[in-house]
Amino acid sequence: MKQYHLGIEATLEIIGGKWKALIICILMSGVKRTGELERSIPGISQKVLIQQLRELERDGLVERHVYQQMPPKVEYSLTEYGVTANTIVDVMCAWGRENIAFRQQRGEEIVLLSET
């Protein structure tokens, strides 16, 4: 039996790490193909992207739709359960913007390039 001391442990197990919250954020705007996701997340390799998508799919947040055609076409979208992560992602985005502003006030050279 899996046990957690705090609820946040379960949350971080599912959407923690460098890329998963970004993937969820991008999929909030609608269905995306692998290449679209890869272009939307600078610095992620295709291998890592696929791995993260598979983990999100395993955890029930993302669904994968494979079209039987040539060349193969695969699309990813959030499940109904995955959409519930929007609240968490929105709070993380807001806190990130506030953090950037705080760090700028302290003299750090930092900029937010875009808001997804």
Side-chain angles (χ1 to χ4, degrees), residues 67-105:
Y67 294 88
Q68 298 301 320
Q69 66 182 49
M70 288 307 276
K73 178 180 172 183
V74 179
E75 292 181 334
Y76 293 91
S77 60
L78 291 176
T79 62
E80 189 175 323
Y81 178 61
V83 172
T84 65
N86 187 33
T87 305
I88 297 167
V89 173
D90 282 346
V91 170
M92 291 171 69
C93 289
W95 189 88
R97 287 189 301 271
E98 292 169 11
N99 176 265
I100 289 168
F102 174 76
R103 292 161 63 188
Q104 287 170 333
Q105 290 172 350

mmCIF file of all heavy atoms in Angstrom, residues 67-105:
data_model
loop_
_atom_site.group_PDB
_atom_site.id
_atom_site.type_symbol
_atom_site.label_atom_id
_atom_site.label_comp_id
_atom_site.label_asym_id
_atom_site.label_seq_id
_atom_site.Cartn_x
_atom_site.Cartn_y
_atom_site.Cartn_z
ATOM 1 N N TYR A 67 -3.977 7.776 -35.164
ATOM 2 C CA TYR A 67 -4.737 7.629 -36.402
ATOM 3 C C TYR A 67 -4.055 6.582 -37.279
ATOM 4 O O TYR A 67 -2.840 6.621 -37.461
ATOM 5 C CB TYR A 67 -4.809 8.959 -37.147
ATOM 6 C CG TYR A 67 -5.602 10.007 -36.412
ATOM 7 C CD1 TYR A 67 -4.990 10.842 -35.478
ATOM 8 C CD2 TYR A 67 -6.961 10.153 -36.629
ATOM 9 C CE1 TYR A 67 -5.712 11.810 -34.801
ATOM 10 C CE2 TYR A 67 -7.702 11.115 -35.952
ATOM 11 C CZ TYR A 67 -7.061 11.926 -35.038
ATOM 12 O OH TYR A 67 -7.790 12.877 -34.350
ATOM 13 N N GLN A 68 -4.834 5.669 -37.796
ATOM 14 C CA GLN A 68 -4.304 4.611 -38.654
ATOM 15 C C GLN A 68 -4.161 5.153 -40.076
ATOM 16 O O GLN A 68 -5.037 4.988 -40.909
ATOM 17 C CB GLN A 68 -5.236 3.392 -38.628
ATOM 18 C CG GLN A 68 -5.387 2.773 -37.260
ATOM 19 C CD GLN A 68 -4.058 2.312 -36.665
ATOM 20 O OE1 GLN A 68 -3.203 1.765 -37.366
ATOM 21 N NE2 GLN A 68 -3.865 2.549 -35.383
ATOM 22 N N GLN A 69 -3.059 5.831 -40.316
ATOM 23 C CA GLN A 69 -2.785 6.406 -41.621
ATOM 24 C C GLN A 69 -1.288 6.465 -41.827
ATOM 25 O O GLN A 69 -0.519 6.273 -40.897
ATOM 26 C CB GLN A 69 -3.400 7.806 -41.735
ATOM 27 C CG GLN A 69 -2.763 8.823 -40.791
ATOM 28 C CD GLN A 69 -3.408 10.192 -40.884
ATOM 29 O OE1 GLN A 69 -4.613 10.303 -40.835
ATOM 30 N NE2 GLN A 69 -2.597 11.227 -41.022
ATOM 31 N N MET A 70 -0.893 6.743 -43.048
ATOM 32 C CA MET A 70 0.522 6.915 -43.357
ATOM 33 C C MET A 70 0.722 8.323 -43.873
ATOM 34 O O MET A 70 0.014 8.728 -44.776
ATOM 35 C CB MET A 70 0.971 5.887 -44.394
ATOM 36 C CG MET A 70 1.063 4.485 -43.837
ATOM 37 S SD MET A 70 2.054 4.347 -42.360
ATOM 38 C CE MET A 70 3.674 4.210 -43.025
ATOM 39 N N PRO A 71 1.664 9.078 -43.372
ATOM 40 C CA PRO A 71 2.484 8.742 -42.209
ATOM 41 C C PRO A 71 1.627 8.729 -40.935
ATOM 42 O O PRO A 71 0.567 9.346 -40.899
ATOM 43 C CB PRO A 71 3.513 9.868 -42.153
ATOM 44 C CG PRO A 71 2.868 11.017 -42.839
ATOM 45 C CD PRO A 71 1.935 10.427 -43.872
ATOM 46 N N PRO A 72 2.118 8.037 -39.911
ATOM 47 C CA PRO A 72 1.353 7.935 -38.663
ATOM 48 C C PRO A 72 1.074 9.316 -38.066
ATOM 49 O O PRO A 72 1.895 10.215 -38.166
ATOM 50 C CB PRO A 72 2.264 7.131 -37.739
ATOM 51 C CG PRO A 72 3.266 6.493 -38.620
ATOM 52 C CD PRO A 72 3.381 7.332 -39.845
ATOM 53 N N LYS A 73 -0.092 9.455 -37.474
ATOM 54 C CA LYS A 73 -0.474 10.707 -36.824
ATOM 55 C C LYS A 73 -0.922 10.385 -35.404
ATOM 56 O O LYS A 73 -1.770 9.517 -35.199
ATOM 57 C CB LYS A 73 -1.619 11.351 -37.608
ATOM 58 C CG LYS A 73 -2.140 12.641 -37.009
ATOM 59 C CD LYS A 73 -3.266 13.202 -37.867
ATOM 60 C CE LYS A 73 -3.925 14.383 -37.200
ATOM 61 N NZ LYS A 73 -5.051 14.891 -37.992
ATOM 62 N N VAL A 74 -0.314 11.087 -34.440
ATOM 63 C CA VAL A 74 -0.650 10.896 -33.034
ATOM 64 C C VAL A 74 -0.992 12.253 -32.438
ATOM 65 O O VAL A 74 -0.274 13.228 -32.647
ATOM 66 C CB VAL A 74 0.534 10.266 -32.252
ATOM 67 C CG1 VAL A 74 0.188 10.091 -30.787
ATOM 68 C CG2 VAL A 74 0.958 8.950 -32.873
ATOM 69 N N GLU A 75 -2.106 12.306 -31.720
ATOM 70 C CA GLU A 75 -2.515 13.537 -31.050
ATOM 71 C C GLU A 75 -2.690 13.279 -29.562
ATOM 72 O O GLU A 75 -3.099 12.187 -29.162
ATOM 73 C CB GLU A 75 -3.828 14.056 -31.627
ATOM 74 C CG GLU A 75 -3.717 14.553 -33.043
ATOM 75 C CD GLU A 75 -5.020 15.082 -33.581
ATOM 76 O OE1 GLU A 75 -6.098 14.662 -33.108
ATOM 77 O OE2 GLU A 75 -4.958 15.930 -34.480
ATOM 78 N N TYR A 76 -2.403 14.303 -28.790
ATOM 79 C CA TYR A 76 -2.533 14.222 -27.335
ATOM 80 C C TYR A 76 -3.526 15.282 -26.870
ATOM 81 O O TYR A 76 -3.575 16.387 -27.394
ATOM 82 C CB TYR A 76 -1.189 14.464 -26.661
ATOM 83 C CG TYR A 76 -0.194 13.382 -26.939
ATOM 84 C CD1 TYR A 76 0.689 13.465 -28.021
ATOM 85 C CD2 TYR A 76 -0.130 12.247 -26.142
ATOM 86 C CE1 TYR A 76 1.596 12.462 -28.288
ATOM 87 C CE2 TYR A 76 0.781 11.235 -26.404
ATOM 88 C CZ TYR A 76 1.633 11.351 -27.471
ATOM 89 O OH TYR A 76 2.524 10.350 -27.737
ATOM 90 N N SER A 77 -4.297 14.919 -25.863
ATOM 91 C CA SER A 77 -5.230 15.861 -25.254
ATOM 92 C C SER A 77 -5.362 15.519 -23.782
ATOM 93 O O SER A 77 -4.967 14.433 -23.339
ATOM 94 C CB SER A 77 -6.590 15.794 -25.941
ATOM 95 O OG SER A 77 -7.133 14.496 -25.820
ATOM 96 N N LEU A 78 -5.918 16.454 -23.037
ATOM 97 C CA LEU A 78 -6.172 16.200 -21.623
ATOM 98 C C LEU A 78 -7.456 15.395 -21.479
ATOM 99 O O LEU A 78 -8.412 15.586 -22.227
ATOM 100 C CB LEU A 78 -6.320 17.515 -20.861
ATOM 101 C CG LEU A 78 -5.061 18.356 -20.720
ATOM 102 C CD1 LEU A 78 -5.383 19.661 -20.020
ATOM 103 C CD2 LEU A 78 -3.972 17.607 -19.973
ATOM 104 N N THR A 79 -7.462 14.512 -20.524
ATOM 105 C CA THR A 79 -8.682 13.802 -20.173
ATOM 106 C C THR A 79 -9.527 14.740 -19.309
ATOM 107 O O THR A 79 -9.067 15.813 -18.891
ATOM 108 C CB THR A 79 -8.364 12.532 -19.362
ATOM 109 O OG1 THR A 79 -7.730 12.932 -18.142
ATOM 110 C CG2 THR A 79 -7.476 11.569 -20.136
ATOM 111 N N GLU A 80 -10.731 14.329 -19.015
ATOM 112 C CA GLU A 80 -11.575 15.112 -18.117
ATOM 113 C C GLU A 80 -10.874 15.277 -16.769
ATOM 114 O O GLU A 80 -10.883 16.357 -16.164
ATOM 115 C CB GLU A 80 -12.921 14.410 -17.941
ATOM 116 C CG GLU A 80 -13.952 15.224 -17.212
ATOM 117 C CD GLU A 80 -15.313 14.535 -17.166
ATOM 118 O OE1 GLU A 80 -15.696 13.885 -18.154
ATOM 119 O OE2 GLU A 80 -15.969 14.657 -16.121
ATOM 120 N N TYR A 81 -10.237 14.221 -16.314
ATOM 121 C CA TYR A 81 -9.482 14.277 -15.062
ATOM 122 C C TYR A 81 -8.279 15.209 -15.201
ATOM 123 O O TYR A 81 -7.959 15.972 -14.291
ATOM 124 C CB TYR A 81 -9.039 12.868 -14.657
ATOM 125 C CG TYR A 81 -8.216 12.817 -13.401
ATOM 126 C CD1 TYR A 81 -8.725 13.244 -12.182
ATOM 127 C CD2 TYR A 81 -6.911 12.328 -13.425
ATOM 128 C CE1 TYR A 81 -7.968 13.196 -11.025
ATOM 129 C CE2 TYR A 81 -6.148 12.274 -12.275
ATOM 130 C CZ TYR A 81 -6.675 12.707 -11.082
ATOM 131 O OH TYR A 81 -5.920 12.658 -9.939
ATOM 132 N N GLY A 82 -7.625 15.172 -16.352
ATOM 133 C CA GLY A 82 -6.468 16.037 -16.586
ATOM 134 C C GLY A 82 -6.815 17.509 -16.528
ATOM 135 O O GLY A 82 -6.012 18.335 -16.069
ATOM 136 N N VAL A 83 -8.005 17.857 -16.989
ATOM 137 C CA VAL A 83 -8.446 19.253 -16.952
ATOM 138 C C VAL A 83 -8.510 19.762 -15.515
ATOM 139 O O VAL A 83 -8.305 20.956 -15.260
ATOM 140 C CB VAL A 83 -9.801 19.408 -17.681
ATOM 141 C CG1 VAL A 83 -10.386 20.804 -17.485
ATOM 142 C CG2 VAL A 83 -9.630 19.112 -19.168
ATOM 143 N N THR A 84 -8.743 18.881 -14.551
ATOM 144 C CA THR A 84 -8.803 19.317 -13.155
ATOM 145 C C THR A 84 -7.458 19.840 -12.664
ATOM 146 O O THR A 84 -7.408 20.569 -11.672
ATOM 147 C CB THR A 84 -9.280 18.184 -12.215
ATOM 148 O OG1 THR A 84 -8.313 17.128 -12.202
ATOM 149 C CG2 THR A 84 -10.640 17.649 -12.641
ATOM 150 N N ALA A 85 -6.371 19.499 -13.346
ATOM 151 C CA ALA A 85 -5.047 20.002 -12.971
ATOM 152 C C ALA A 85 -4.881 21.475 -13.337
ATOM 153 O O ALA A 85 -3.925 22.119 -12.903
ATOM 154 C CB ALA A 85 -3.954 19.162 -13.632
ATOM 155 N N ASN A 86 -5.818 22.024 -14.117
ATOM 156 C CA ASN A 86 -5.745 23.420 -14.526
ATOM 157 C C ASN A 86 -5.633 24.358 -13.333
ATOM 158 O O ASN A 86 -4.875 25.331 -13.371
ATOM 159 C CB ASN A 86 -6.956 23.788 -15.381
ATOM 160 C CG ASN A 86 -6.847 25.176 -15.962
ATOM 161 O OD1 ASN A 86 -5.772 25.650 -16.270
ATOM 162 N ND2 ASN A 86 -7.982 25.831 -16.099
ATOM 163 N N THR A 87 -6.359 24.085 -12.272
ATOM 164 C CA THR A 87 -6.320 24.935 -11.079
ATOM 165 C C THR A 87 -4.905 25.012 -10.522
ATOM 166 O O THR A 87 -4.403 26.094 -10.205
ATOM 167 C CB THR A 87 -7.289 24.394 -10.005
ATOM 168 O OG1 THR A 87 -8.584 24.288 -10.578
ATOM 169 C CG2 THR A 87 -7.326 25.292 -8.791
ATOM 170 N N ILE A 88 -4.259 23.877 -10.433
ATOM 171 C CA ILE A 88 -2.895 23.830 -9.898
ATOM 172 C C ILE A 88 -1.938 24.568 -10.825
ATOM 173 O O ILE A 88 -1.113 25.367 -10.385
ATOM 174 C CB ILE A 88 -2.430 22.369 -9.714
ATOM 175 C CG1 ILE A 88 -3.300 21.673 -8.694
ATOM 176 C CG2 ILE A 88 -0.957 22.300 -9.337
ATOM 177 C CD1 ILE A 88 -3.122 20.171 -8.676
ATOM 178 N N VAL A 89 -2.040 24.308 -12.111
ATOM 179 C CA VAL A 89 -1.148 24.932 -13.088
ATOM 180 C C VAL A 89 -1.346 26.449 -13.090
ATOM 181 O O VAL A 89 -0.370 27.203 -13.140
ATOM 182 C CB VAL A 89 -1.361 24.321 -14.492
ATOM 183 C CG1 VAL A 89 -0.573 25.079 -15.550
ATOM 184 C CG2 VAL A 89 -0.953 22.849 -14.493
ATOM 185 N N ASP A 90 -2.596 26.922 -13.009
ATOM 186 C CA ASP A 90 -2.852 28.371 -12.958
ATOM 187 C C ASP A 90 -2.190 29.010 -11.742
ATOM 188 O O ASP A 90 -1.596 30.083 -11.842
ATOM 189 C CB ASP A 90 -4.354 28.653 -12.938
ATOM 190 C CG ASP A 90 -4.996 28.529 -14.305
ATOM 191 O OD1 ASP A 90 -4.276 28.484 -15.323
ATOM 192 O OD2 ASP A 90 -6.242 28.467 -14.355
ATOM 193 N N VAL A 91 -2.288 28.361 -10.603
ATOM 194 C CA VAL A 91 -1.665 28.884 -9.385
ATOM 195 C C VAL A 91 -0.138 28.909 -9.534
ATOM 196 O O VAL A 91 0.513 29.876 -9.158
ATOM 197 C CB VAL A 91 -2.090 28.056 -8.144
ATOM 198 C CG1 VAL A 91 -1.262 28.425 -6.926
ATOM 199 C CG2 VAL A 91 -3.575 28.263 -7.863
ATOM 200 N N MET A 92 0.409 27.865 -10.140
ATOM 201 C CA MET A 92 1.861 27.821 -10.353
ATOM 202 C C MET A 92 2.303 28.942 -11.293
ATOM 203 O O MET A 92 3.339 29.581 -11.061
ATOM 204 C CB MET A 92 2.268 26.456 -10.916
ATOM 205 C CG MET A 92 2.119 25.326 -9.909
ATOM 206 S SD MET A 92 2.361 23.685 -10.644
ATOM 207 C CE MET A 92 4.099 23.704 -11.004
ATOM 208 N N CYS A 93 1.515 29.200 -12.348
ATOM 209 C CA CYS A 93 1.842 30.281 -13.287
ATOM 210 C C CYS A 93 1.804 31.637 -12.586
ATOM 211 O O CYS A 93 2.707 32.464 -12.766
ATOM 212 C CB CYS A 93 0.884 30.269 -14.472
ATOM 213 S SG CYS A 93 1.127 28.896 -15.601
ATOM 214 N N ALA A 94 0.764 31.869 -11.801
ATOM 215 C CA ALA A 94 0.632 33.140 -11.085
ATOM 216 C C ALA A 94 1.797 33.325 -10.113
ATOM 217 O O ALA A 94 2.392 34.409 -10.038
ATOM 218 C CB ALA A 94 -0.704 33.196 -10.342
ATOM 219 N N TRP A 95 2.129 32.277 -9.383
ATOM 220 C CA TRP A 95 3.236 32.377 -8.433
ATOM 221 C C TRP A 95 4.548 32.630 -9.180
ATOM 222 O O TRP A 95 5.379 33.421 -8.738
ATOM 223 C CB TRP A 95 3.347 31.110 -7.587
ATOM 224 C CG TRP A 95 4.320 31.282 -6.467
ATOM 225 C CD1 TRP A 95 4.058 31.765 -5.224
ATOM 226 C CD2 TRP A 95 5.724 30.991 -6.488
ATOM 227 N NE1 TRP A 95 5.208 31.790 -4.472
ATOM 228 C CE2 TRP A 95 6.246 31.328 -5.221
ATOM 229 C CE3 TRP A 95 6.582 30.490 -7.455
ATOM 230 C CZ2 TRP A 95 7.589 31.173 -4.903
ATOM 231 C CZ3 TRP A 95 7.934 30.337 -7.136
ATOM 232 C CH2 TRP A 95 8.418 30.676 -5.869
ATOM 233 N N GLY A 96 4.715 31.995 -10.321
ATOM 234 C CA GLY A 96 5.920 32.204 -11.121
ATOM 235 C C GLY A 96 6.059 33.642 -11.580
ATOM 236 O O GLY A 96 7.153 34.224 -11.531
ATOM 237 N N ARG A 97 4.946 34.241 -12.042
ATOM 238 C CA ARG A 97 4.978 35.653 -12.454
ATOM 239 C C ARG A 97 5.349 36.549 -11.276
ATOM 240 O O ARG A 97 6.166 37.466 -11.412
ATOM 241 C CB ARG A 97 3.633 36.071 -13.042
ATOM 242 C CG ARG A 97 3.353 35.496 -14.426
ATOM 243 C CD ARG A 97 2.107 36.118 -15.057
ATOM 244 N NE ARG A 97 0.908 35.908 -14.258
ATOM 245 C CZ ARG A 97 0.097 34.844 -14.366
ATOM 246 N NH1 ARG A 97 0.372 33.899 -15.241
ATOM 247 N NH2 ARG A 97 -0.982 34.743 -13.613
ATOM 248 N N GLU A 98 4.754 36.281 -10.125
ATOM 249 C CA GLU A 98 5.070 37.062 -8.919
ATOM 250 C C GLU A 98 6.535 36.879 -8.527
ATOM 251 O O GLU A 98 7.202 37.825 -8.123
ATOM 252 C CB GLU A 98 4.154 36.651 -7.773
ATOM 253 C CG GLU A 98 2.707 37.045 -7.979
ATOM 254 C CD GLU A 98 1.769 36.407 -6.962
ATOM 255 O OE1 GLU A 98 2.240 35.818 -5.973
ATOM 256 O OE2 GLU A 98 0.538 36.500 -7.175
ATOM 257 N N ASN A 99 7.036 35.657 -8.658
ATOM 258 C CA ASN A 99 8.428 35.371 -8.324
ATOM 259 C C ASN A 99 9.378 36.130 -9.245
ATOM 260 O O ASN A 99 10.382 36.677 -8.798
ATOM 261 C CB ASN A 99 8.679 33.860 -8.404
ATOM 262 C CG ASN A 99 10.127 33.507 -8.171
ATOM 263 O OD1 ASN A 99 10.888 33.360 -9.113
ATOM 264 N ND2 ASN A 99 10.497 33.396 -6.908
ATOM 265 N N ILE A 100 9.042 36.170 -10.527
ATOM 266 C CA ILE A 100 9.878 36.907 -11.485
ATOM 267 C C ILE A 100 9.896 38.389 -11.128
ATOM 268 O O ILE A 100 10.960 39.017 -11.106
ATOM 269 C CB ILE A 100 9.386 36.672 -12.930
ATOM 270 C CG1 ILE A 100 9.718 35.240 -13.350
ATOM 271 C CG2 ILE A 100 10.012 37.679 -13.895
ATOM 272 C CD1 ILE A 100 9.056 34.787 -14.629
ATOM 273 N N ALA A 101 8.737 38.962 -10.827
ATOM 274 C CA ALA A 101 8.662 40.373 -10.447
ATOM 275 C C ALA A 101 9.474 40.638 -9.183
ATOM 276 O O ALA A 101 10.215 41.641 -9.101
ATOM 277 C CB ALA A 101 7.206 40.793 -10.242
ATOM 278 N N PHE A 102 9.378 39.757 -8.202
ATOM 279 C CA PHE A 102 10.136 39.889 -6.947
ATOM 280 C C PHE A 102 11.641 39.876 -7.232
ATOM 281 O O PHE A 102 12.380 40.709 -6.715
ATOM 282 C CB PHE A 102 9.751 38.742 -6.005
ATOM 283 C CG PHE A 102 10.555 38.676 -4.748
ATOM 284 C CD1 PHE A 102 10.332 39.564 -3.705
ATOM 285 C CD2 PHE A 102 11.535 37.706 -4.591
ATOM 286 C CE1 PHE A 102 11.080 39.500 -2.535
ATOM 287 C CE2 PHE A 102 12.279 37.624 -3.426
ATOM 288 C CZ PHE A 102 12.054 38.530 -2.404
ATOM 289 N N ARG A 103 12.058 38.939 -8.059
ATOM 290 C CA ARG A 103 13.486 38.828 -8.375
ATOM 291 C C ARG A 103 13.976 40.025 -9.182
ATOM 292 O O ARG A 103 15.105 40.492 -8.990
ATOM 293 C CB ARG A 103 13.744 37.512 -9.104
ATOM 294 C CG ARG A 103 13.531 36.322 -8.162
ATOM 295 C CD ARG A 103 13.322 35.010 -8.859
ATOM 296 N NE ARG A 103 14.474 34.603 -9.632
ATOM 297 C CZ ARG A 103 14.475 33.549 -10.454
ATOM 298 N NH1 ARG A 103 13.402 32.799 -10.579
ATOM 299 N NH2 ARG A 103 15.550 33.236 -11.131
ATOM 300 N N GLN A 104 13.120 40.562 -10.073
ATOM 301 C CA GLN A 104 13.483 41.766 -10.825
ATOM 302 C C GLN A 104 13.661 42.943 -9.877
ATOM 303 O O GLN A 104 14.594 43.733 -10.029
ATOM 304 C CB GLN A 104 12.405 42.091 -11.872
ATOM 305 C CG GLN A 104 12.396 41.151 -13.042
ATOM 306 C CD GLN A 104 11.188 41.340 -13.944
ATOM 307 O OE1 GLN A 104 10.122 41.789 -13.508
ATOM 308 N NE2 GLN A 104 11.335 40.969 -15.212
ATOM 309 N N GLN A 105 12.772 43.061 -8.873
ATOM 310 C CA GLN A 105 12.873 44.144 -7.898
ATOM 311 C C GLN A 105 14.161 44.052 -7.096
ATOM 312 O O GLN A 105 14.680 45.071 -6.644
ATOM 313 C CB GLN A 105 11.677 44.122 -6.952
ATOM 314 C CG GLN A 105 10.383 44.530 -7.605
ATOM 315 C CD GLN A 105 9.182 44.310 -6.688
ATOM 316 O OE1 GLN A 105 9.283 43.693 -5.630
ATOM 317 N NE2 GLN A 105 8.031 44.820 -7.107
#
